[in-house]
Amino acid sequence: MNFSIRTTLGLVIGILGLMLVAGSINALLNNLDRNASAKRVAQLAPISQAFFQSLQQHRLERGNILIVFRAEAPASKDSIDNITAQRDGAIKGYNNGFAMLSALSSDLSGAAPLLTKLKSANDAVDAMRPKAMQMIAQPRAQRDAQAM
């Protein structure tokens, strides 16, 4: 078949136009997907910040408790106040992060079992805190050796 130049150029331009439309649609779909991913990251960032605050305060609390455990004397009022302030910060960060994550758990697959595991781990730590506070208020000789 012999096509005229007009027909050939028309077909080439038509095919290039279809390729341009297909490429534009592909780019649009990719950008929509990236936008959805960016929104998810924006939703998760405050949760991460809250849990990081909680973790940071918890580690400071734990470090101060361990320092006081090594001392022979009972903890000073300043040490107890610092530990209490760090505990309050850890609890605040945990509660904020847990509330935000619970609100998003329906959107995140597999979040429910992780929330349960996180809650049980936090409850276990909370159960140990009163005993630790009681122990640091005593001289080292009177503390429970197994708990240290």
Side-chain angles (χ1 to χ4, degrees):
M1 288 187 175
N2 281 338
F3 290 113
S4 68
I5 292 177
R6 183 187 328 178
T7 306
T8 305
L9 287 177
L11 284 172
V12 168
I13 291 172
I15 290 171
L16 288 175
L18 285 174
M19 288 173 55
L20 179 65
V21 169
S24 296
I25 290 172
N26 186 35
L28 175 68
L29 293 176
N30 286 337
N31 286 333
L32 288 174
D33 186 44
R34 288 176 49 200
N35 186 33
S37 296
K39 285 182 179 181
R40 171 146 302 163
V41 168
Q43 284 179 325
L44 296 177
I47 296 170
S48 176
Q49 289 172 349
F51 281 129
F52 179 74
Q53 174 197 4
S54 177
L55 178 64
Q56 184 179 32
Q57 292 298 315
H58 175 74
R59 291 184 74 160
L60 289 170
E61 172 195 4
R62 183 175 143 237
N64 283 338
I65 287 174
L66 291 175
I67 289 169
V68 173
F69 268 144
R70 290 181 167 224
E72 293 293 331
S76 67
K77 181 177 176 356
D78 288 340
S79 295
I80 291 176
D81 290 344
N82 284 340
I83 291 169
T84 303
Q86 290 156 352
R87 175 174 301 150
D88 292 343
I91 291 171
K92 178 184 172 194
Y94 170 80
N95 288 338
N96 289 343
F98 193 83
M100 288 187 281
L101 191 57
S102 295
L104 286 179
S105 67
S106 61
D107 297 340
L108 301 172
S109 62
L114 292 176
L115 282 171
T116 304
K117 190 174 183 179
L118 180 64
K119 176 118 179 73
S120 65
N122 186 63
D123 291 344
V125 170
D126 283 344
M128 289 186 263
R129 283 178 167 153
K131 184 168 183 165
M133 292 304 286
Q134 177 187 12
M135 287 176 54
I136 65 173
Q138 300 171 342
R140 186 174 187 173
Q142 294 176 1
R143 295 180 194 151
D144 183 6
Q146 289 182 342
M148 293 182 4

